[in-house]
Amino acid sequence: MAEGRKSFADRAVEWIANNVNLRALVNLFGTFTGFLYGELDERLELGEAVKKQLRKPISGRVSRWWGCFGGITFLLFMIQVVTGVLLAIYYRPTVDGAHDSILFIMNDVRYGWLIRSVHRYAAELMVLTVMIHMVKIFLSGAYKPPRELTWVSGVLLLLLTLTFGFTGYLLPWDQRAYWATTVGTEMAHSVPLVGEYLSTALKGGGVIGQRTLSRFYALHVIILPWVLTFFLMSHLLMIRRQGAYEPQ
Amino acid sequence: MARKDHPFFPHHALEQALQFFILVAVLLALTLWRPAGLADKADPLNTPEHVKPEWYFLAEYQMLKVVPRTVGIVGMGLVAALILVFPFLLDRDKAKYRPLQRPLFFFSGIIFVVSYVILTVWGHYS
């Protein structure tokens, strides 16, 4: 090879050596970690807390695969939060604009189709995993004392997940959404005694229209996320406090 | 069968990381195989031929086609209420955890799951 020709890697290293002040970078990193392990830790004693969390023993009786569905559901919820916020940036909750804004997300927004599809599939998977989680807990009897409240919060989380699915399904405002919601509100209408009120409360009037879309949107992006977060936190705190169930 | 107790980090965290990557792979595979679709814009005057709810409501939907509607809805409400509060009332003996020590609960759970799956499949094909 000729003397003057250098490989790309060599040139990259040379460029970094000439243009980047490595010593300053190392010092910056040192200052940062020094702050984390020094000043901040002196005040808040985070290191001890982190160590305690990381070394916390996990029971070997919790199955690697059947025991993972609760955690998977939690991860799916995190994915829903991120993709949902991204969708909310472009989505318009109006009867005239909703369908067009979904088309815009699918066709014009960069990776919009991917974000929407992931949100859609993660929602369905979340229903599936939360159901599997619940069946597993039921069949193994993990709801027995002292874990009854964890079970109650879990059932509420399943119901909230289903409500998420029901309200989210209307938002694209396409034919499938509209008529699936029609079926759903008809079922609400057949509840004895309060059916009439329930159906009117869901639809915001006599027919499915702008008011229905507005309240489903408010439920889906504001009310349900906070309610679900509250029960999720209780659920996780109780599991953390009591440890995972293991038969004696 | 049971493994030894192990620390959260790195043992358990790595297992969870593996499960997370499998989950992402499944999500991306589904997405690339069939990206989320969009039907025509909603038209209140034009009822499509086959109106069906999402798959996770299909079992309830199919059941309500078979039993009288009011009975079905009240029944579902009662079952949901029972599922919500039964650990305070029933099956509280911690010593009995094996399936055959609590056959009523174990097998009613199995029957519930099986009938739910059957109703869903039936709803899908009807």
Side-chain angles (χ1 to χ4, degrees):
Chain A
M1 197 186 276
E3 187 63 26
R5 292 180 69 191
K6 289 175 184 164
S7 75
F8 176 75
D10 284 341
R11 276 188 291 145
V13 169
E14 203 169 283
W15 187 88
I16 289 171
N18 288 337
N19 293 284
V20 182
N21 191 341
L22 285 176
R23 187 172 296 272
L25 262 184
V26 170
N27 283 342
L28 191 68
F29 181 73
T31 312
F32 180 64
T33 49
F35 172 70
L36 276 188
Y37 286 90
E39 284 94 338
L40 198 67
D41 194 52
E42 277 163 25
R43 284 163 181 76
L44 302 175
E45 292 174 357
L46 291 171
E48 207 183 313
V50 171
K51 247 180 234 164
K52 198 178 160 192
Q53 296 299 312
L54 292 185
R55 286 182 189 161
K56 172 138 177 141
I58 304 288
S59 163
R61 286 170 178 273
V62 178
S63 157
R64 190 178 283 141
W65 296 109
W66 284 111
C68 82
F69 284 99
I72 293 287
T73 311
F74 177 68
L75 282 172
L76 281 166
F77 179 62
M78 294 290 109
I79 292 176
Q80 291 305 70
V81 171
V82 174
T83 52
V85 168
L86 291 176
L87 287 173
I89 291 171
Y90 287 102
Y91 176 73
R92 272 174 302 177
T94 65
V95 168
D96 291 326
H99 192 265
D100 287 345
S101 69
I102 298 283
L103 278 177
F104 183 75
I105 288 171
M106 298 292 280
N107 297 331
D108 293 322
V109 177
R110 195 168 292 180
Y111 296 116
W113 63 273
L114 184 69
I115 301 292
R116 175 162 177 253
S117 301
V118 167
H119 194 74
R120 200 47 212 284
Y121 280 115
E124 297 193 21
L125 280 182
M126 198 172 151
V127 175
L128 188 68
T129 55
V130 78
M131 282 176 173
I132 296 174
H133 180 54
M134 186 179 166
V135 168
K136 191 252 169 193
I137 296 296
F138 183 86
L139 292 183
S140 60
Y143 48 74
K144 294 191 181 197
R147 297 186 173 77
E148 304 101 311
L149 285 172
T150 318
W151 170 266
V152 170
S153 61
V155 176
L156 291 175
L157 285 170
L158 169 66
L159 295 177
L160 286 166
T161 309
L162 291 174
T163 319
F164 254 117
F166 182 63
T167 51
Y169 203 65
L170 179 69
L171 301 185
W173 201 253
D174 60 356
Q175 277 287 73
R176 265 183 300 173
Y178 185 89
W179 293 99
T181 306
T182 307
V183 173
T185 50
E186 271 172 16
M187 287 191 183
H189 196 270
S190 356
V191 175
L193 302 176
V194 292
E196 187 92 41
Y197 295 102
L198 201 58
S199 152
T200 310
L202 270 178
K203 290 193 272 196
V207 291
I208 297 176
Q210 179 59 54
R211 286 182 190 166
T212 323
L213 186 58
S214 297
R215 57 187 62 195
F216 273 40
Y217 183 67
L219 272 171
H220 192 81
V221 305
I222 302 169
I223 302 168
L224 288 175
W226 287 107
V227 178
L228 192 135
T229 303
F230 172 76
F231 284 110
L232 186 64
M233 284 300 146
S234 338
H235 198 69
L236 295 179
L237 277 175
M238 284 189 277
I239 292 166
R240 193 80 183 130
R241 185 89 178 117
Q242 299 178 324
Y245 165 77
E246 49 182 309
Q248 296 306 316
Chain B
M1 200 177 90
R3 296 179 285 156
K4 282 182 190 163
D5 292 3
H6 46 274
F8 173 77
F9 190 85
H11 304 61
H12 192 67
L14 280 175
E15 274 176 16
Q16 288 197 318
L18 172 65
Q19 289 156 1
F20 176 68
F21 283 120
I22 293 175
L23 174 70
V24 171
V26 168
L27 269 179
L28 287 183
L30 283 169
T31 299
L32 296 176
W33 169 57
R34 195 172 281 180
L38 187 65
D40 291 336
K41 192 173 171 174
D43 180 2
L45 301 176
N46 175 17
T47 315
E49 275 183 32
H50 304 289
V51 178
K52 263 185 202 171
E54 278 278 72
W55 63 265
Y56 41 84
F57 292 125
L58 266 183
E60 291 89 337
Y61 181 67
Q62 187 63 25
M63 192 193 71
L64 289 178
K65 280 203 269 182
V66 184
V67 301
R69 194 169 260 209
T70 316
V71 176
I73 286 193
V74 173
M76 282 196 306
L78 289 178
V79 169
L82 183 68
I83 288 177
L84 194 63
V85 299
F86 84 90
F88 294 103
L89 312 167
L90 307 161
D91 195 30
R92 292 171 60 83
D93 191 349
K94 267 177 78 179
K96 297 181 179 171
Y97 63 89
R98 289 177 203 283
L100 292 178
Q101 287 172 327
R102 41 192 278 277
L104 178 65
F105 282 84
F106 186 79
F107 289 108
S108 54
I110 298 273
I111 289 169
F112 186 88
V113 173
V114 170
S115 42
Y116 196 92
V117 172
I118 289 175
L119 280 171
T120 304
V121 174
W122 185 12
H124 181 76
Y125 285 107
S126 66

